[in-house]
Amino acid sequence: MKAFQDNYPDSLAHCYGCGANNPAGHHFRTFWEGDGTITRFTPQSQHTAIPGFVYGGLIASLIDCHSTGSASAAAAREQGVELTPETTPRFVTASLRVDYIRPTPMGKELVVRGVFEEVKEKKVVVVSEMTVDGELCATGRVVCVKLPENWGS
């Protein structure tokens, strides 16, 4: 199945977190799960904060990229637009809030599920929960805004 981020045009697919054109990046991939969205990622040893636990910046990046990808898909769905590199609206972060609920253990899959607080043509607000083995580790609220049509060209 194609991830939302796979539909970003090449000129806008360089993000360290989710860009397909960044060979050193994380390549986060986000999909529909019912009316919400889901991203799964398993951190590696370089993502360590202190031994045994994930670096908070990775968690913020995961929630951030999950949200901007979700915003693109939600805006397209709201407008009845199919996701393709030519039609996918590209959203970026205007505001990112992450609350760390408990330490996130290394070596386990991080699962981010998002729902939509607001979906408009140029602004989407995504609220997410990140879990590990069903335990809530972090929450996020991201305000995403649409890039202008001529951006990156």
Side-chain angles (χ1 to χ4, degrees), residues 114-148:
V115 296
F116 301 99
E117 182 178 290
E118 179 179 338
V119 179
K120 294 187 178 174
E121 181 182 354
K122 295 183 179 182
K123 176 184 171 189
V124 176
V125 180
V126 182
V127 177
S128 300
E129 293 185 342
M130 191 202 74
T131 60
V132 174
D133 291 338
E135 292 284 325
L136 183 64
C137 293
T139 61
R141 182 179 185 275
V142 182
V143 177
C144 307
V145 295
K146 184 178 176 185
L147 282 178

Side-chain angles (χ1 to χ4, degrees), residues 4-5 8 30-32 36-39 64-76 91 114-116 124 126 128 144:
F4 304 153
Q5 293 89 346
Y8 293 163
T30 308
F31 304 90
W32 286 113
T37 57
I38 188 167
T39 303
D64 183 18
C65 289
H66 166 85
S67 298
T68 57
S70 297
S72 292
F91 280 73
V115 296
F116 301 99
V124 176
V126 182
S128 300
C144 307

